[in-house]
Amino acid sequence: MYRLLSAVTNRAVTHGSCAWGCGRRAAHQRAGLPPLGPGWVGGLGLGLGLALGVKLAGGLRGASPAPPTAAPDPETPPQAEPLPPQEQPLAQWSPQTPTPPHSRRFARAIDRSRDLLHRIKDEVGAPGIVVGVSVDGKEVWSEGLGYADVENRVPCKPETVMRIASISKSLTMVAIAKLWEAGKLDLDIPVQHYVPEFPEKEYEGEKVSVTTRLLISHLSGIRHYEKDMKKVKEEKAYKALKMMKGTMESDQEKELKVKGGKSNEKNDFAKAKIEQDNEAKGRNSKPCKKKNDFEQGSQFLYSTFGYTLLAAIVERASGYKYLDYMQKIFHDLDMLTTVQEENEPVIYNRARFYVYNKKRRLVNTPYVDNSYKWAGGGFLSTVGDLLKFGNAMLYGYQVGLFKNSNENLLPGYLKPETMLMIWTPVPNTEMSWDKEGKYAMAWGVVEKKQTYGSCRKQRHYASHTGGAVGASSVLLVLPEELDAEAINNKFPPRGTVVSIICNMQSVGLNNTALKIALEFDKDRSDMP
């Protein structure tokens, strides 16, 4: 061993003195320092030889030497020692996994709901979808599936910002309700009182009165995106005829069935159209005063443009610009990520929006300017903000029931009587996303109903869906069925709120949201 070390040392002195010594000594001399002596080279060679000797000796014994322990770097985080495979720690929680504190209580509902969302996403080919669920005012699950940005592979997460489309109408309704509660807005006087430049309307030669209440519930007669009103009327007549055939049969139809005769829907529609044309001709031929085809407020015609007029009414009644007034409401409701959609501002976590072309290829949607319809379909938001909004509405709806048992409760953002008015179905309206319901005031409402014992039980809930260029959305509120005994030792809000947003247009999400709400309501009911 001694001879081996001596040989290594001698080689290090002779060869290493040129390789190390020359280069290092030259650099030392270039720096203007005193010349290095031969002892420096010898010491380096001796140290290198000893190190190599130790390594060779360890190899001869068949054991690898333990690596020296390095001093910890203050800027490098400590790393945990590797564990055996069976003891490896679980992956860190990410925004795409359920919120840990509450996920265990609703594990079954979360698994079922996640599977349902995967099915819907795959069925429609949506790039990304985000869901949020709260129970009794607490967020218990939020998760993103797929991509918010396909090109850059940015995954969806609870913080992803998307277009909420027509849920914007429900937000605008809060502004109207606050002004109505303050006595600054009358819902039943002509809109010209607030917006005098809006022209008076006529129908069939007679003036009609357009009020704020009629605008809210889409009964004013102001059209939607479709410009051809004849086409709109034909579609509505066909739907009305189809609904009539599905719900009731006249005595004449019964006789035809007995005789074996049955007319198809197209013939019925053609007859209805001929009768409508004949009535129009008859009215035009009469010299007397013309009458409206329907009484004001009796025909439902969904209109986003009507909410643009409501935004102008909010401005005149409040004295603020519409967006400024809405930002104050968002601040009060703690909806800090909800903003109007604009192209220029940098909005963190904003998703991209997609559509399929004629070849069924995924493409980016064209640029759209939604500033003309902020009030009816132009806001951006997250599932978390929508949950906050839904719970604020649910709290105001229920707080009146709890006042007698708990006088220390804070008031709701809207009064109980206001929320009762907003969530009361309006006659002669339709709820396109659930035929069981009616449109109320910027919300669709399905009332509690059970026709037969031990059969289907229809739950009371309120919701609004949204559809925009490259986006679909829903916000659904399922209140708890409360009685006098259930109120004791409980606090509002009581119920389940579900919000879903998606960066693909024409995706029906209300039925999915209702199924998810019922899953969480079941887990909630099974708890002691």
Side-chain angles (χ1 to χ4, degrees):
M1 181 62 67
Y2 177 78
R3 292 178 180 177
L4 177 63
L5 292 177
S6 299
V8 172
T9 303
N10 291 334
R11 292 184 62 185
V13 171
T14 55
H15 297 285
S17 59
C18 181
W20 272 80
C22 294
R24 182 69 62 136
R25 186 177 297 148
H28 189 82
Q29 291 174 352
R30 282 196 301 269
L33 297 175
L36 295 173
W40 184 85
V41 178
L44 177 61
L46 180 61
L48 181 59
L50 289 174
L52 291 174
V54 171
K55 187 171 182 179
L56 289 172
L60 292 173
R61 290 196 303 267
S64 300
T69 304
D73 188 346
E75 296 184 2
T76 303
Q79 298 182 359
E81 294 183 1
L83 299 175
Q86 68 273 16
E87 297 179 9
Q88 287 290 341
L90 296 175
Q92 273 192 327
W93 176 84
S94 68
Q96 289 187 239
T97 56
T99 308
H102 308 287
S103 60
R104 286 178 298 222
R105 296 176 54 197
F106 298 96
R108 187 202 64 85
I110 291 173
D111 289 341
R112 293 285 297 271
S113 301
R114 185 186 293 113
D115 179 68
L116 178 61
L117 280 176
H118 274 294
R119 291 170 181 266
I120 296 297
K121 179 182 176 300
D122 295 341
E123 180 182 343
V124 302
I129 192 167
V130 188
V131 62
V133 180
S134 71
V135 177
D136 298 339
K138 297 178 180 178
E139 184 176 320
V140 297
W141 179 47
S142 60
E143 186 171 348
L145 306 176
Y147 291 101
D149 184 342
V150 174
E151 293 172 73
N152 298 298
R153 312 302 280 175
V154 178
C156 283
K157 55 185 178 181
E159 296 80 13
T160 298
V161 175
M162 292 189 187
R163 291 170 180 159
I164 62 171
S166 287
I167 298 177
S168 304
K169 294 178 175 68
S170 303
L171 302 179
T172 299
M173 184 62 222
V174 175
I176 295 169
K178 293 295 285 185
L179 293 170
W180 178 73
E181 287 182 347
K184 297 181 179 180
L185 178 60
D186 190 331
L187 301 177
D188 299 306
I189 62 176
V191 296
Q192 286 81 6
H193 178 80
Y194 302 101
V195 190
E197 59 268 36
F198 184 75
E200 292 186 351
K201 299 296 180 180
E202 292 185 359
Y203 186 79
E204 296 293 331
E206 290 188 357
K207 290 184 178 180
V208 294
S209 176
V210 177
T211 67
T212 302
R213 190 184 296 274
L214 293 175
L215 285 170
I216 293 169
S217 298
H218 305 285
L219 294 170
S220 68
I222 293 179
R223 69 172 177 85
H224 195 40
Y225 301 132
E226 178 59 58
K227 294 181 179 180
D228 188 353
M229 289 307 297
K230 184 178 179 181
K231 183 178 179 181
V232 172
K233 289 181 181 179
E234 288 179 355
E235 289 178 355
K236 289 185 72 65
Y238 177 75
K239 288 180 180 179
L241 183 62
K242 191 174 182 180
M243 185 178 296
M244 189 185 306
K245 286 178 68 64
T247 55
M248 56 187 300
E249 293 179 341
S250 63
D251 295 336
Q252 184 178 2
E253 287 175 332
K254 289 180 181 178
E255 290 179 7
L256 288 173
K257 280 190 176 182
V258 173
K259 294 177 182 179
K262 187 177 180 182
S263 60
N264 57 45
E265 290 181 355
K266 290 185 177 179
N267 292 336
D268 289 341
F269 176 59
K271 290 178 182 178
K273 187 176 183 301
I274 291 172
E275 290 177 2
Q276 184 179 0
D277 293 341
N278 290 336
E279 287 179 6
K281 290 178 182 178
R283 285 195 302 271
N284 292 334
S285 64
K286 291 180 181 179
C288 60
K289 191 176 181 180
K290 299 176 185 177
K291 293 183 179 180
N292 295 332
D293 282 346
F294 57 90
E295 185 181 354
Q296 184 68 18
S298 64
Q299 185 168 333
F300 181 83
L301 184 61
Y302 189 89
S303 173
T304 293
F305 292 140
Y307 274 72
T308 302
L309 179 55
L310 286 172
I313 294 172
V314 169
E315 287 192 344
R316 299 299 171 82
S318 66
Y320 293 92
K321 291 183 178 181
Y322 171 76
L323 292 179
D324 292 341
Y325 195 72
M326 292 304 299
Q327 284 301 323
K328 179 182 180 303
I329 291 175
F330 297 153
H331 181 268
D332 292 342
L333 295 173
D334 197 30
M335 299 171 63
L336 304 181
T337 60
T338 303
V339 294
Q340 70 274 11
E341 183 177 7
E342 293 179 286
N343 188 51
E344 289 185 359
V346 174
I347 300 174
Y348 297 139
N349 299 313
R350 174 160 37 176
R352 301 193 67 152
F353 305 101
Y354 301 93
V355 68
Y356 284 96
N357 62 13
K358 293 180 180 179
K359 296 182 179 180
R360 297 300 299 167
R361 296 283 296 181
L362 189 71
V363 295
N364 290 301
T365 57
Y367 168 77
V368 291
D369 182 357
N370 285 324
S371 61
Y372 75 95
K373 60 168 187 175
W374 278 326
F379 284 107
L380 302 171
S381 191
T382 62
V383 292
D385 269 14
L386 293 179
L387 292 180
K388 292 177 183 178
F389 174 63
N391 280 308
M393 299 300 100
L394 181 59
Y395 184 97
Y397 182 72
Q398 294 178 331
V399 68
L401 302 174
F402 290 83
K403 274 293 184 183
N404 294 332
S405 60
N406 193 332
E407 297 180 354
N408 297 323
L409 287 174
L410 293 171
Y413 193 69
L414 295 178
K415 297 176 182 177
E417 54 268 26
T418 304
M419 283 306 308
L420 183 62
M421 175 185 71
I422 291 174
W423 281 357
T424 297
V426 175
N428 303 317
T429 60
E430 303 169 10
M431 184 176 170
S432 61
W433 53 91
D434 191 336
K435 298 299 182 183
E436 302 284 352
K438 295 282 188 182
Y439 203 84
M441 300 183 79
W443 287 82
V445 177
V446 173
E447 294 187 296
K448 180 180 177 180
K449 180 182 177 182
Q450 186 172 6
T451 306
Y452 306 104
S454 298
C455 293
R456 179 178 179 269
K457 184 179 180 181
Q458 185 173 284
R459 287 285 300 271
H460 167 237
Y461 76 88
S463 73
H464 209 298
T465 60
V469 177
S472 303
S473 60
V474 65
L475 174 62
L476 185 143
V477 181
L478 181 71
E480 179 184 351
E481 296 179 329
L482 297 170
D483 53 37
E485 295 180 358
I487 292 176
N488 295 330
N489 300 322
K490 293 183 179 180
F491 304 93
R494 304 290 302 180
T496 305
V497 180
V498 178
S499 61
I500 307 175
I501 53 179
C502 171
N503 56 353
M504 170 64 66
Q505 66 189 50
S506 303
V507 181
L509 295 171
N510 187 80
N511 190 41
T512 301
L514 181 58
K515 289 178 179 178
I516 291 174
L518 293 174
E519 290 289 349
F520 279 82
D521 185 72
K522 183 178 185 302
D523 279 10
R524 177 176 169 278
S525 302
D526 292 342
M527 292 177 187

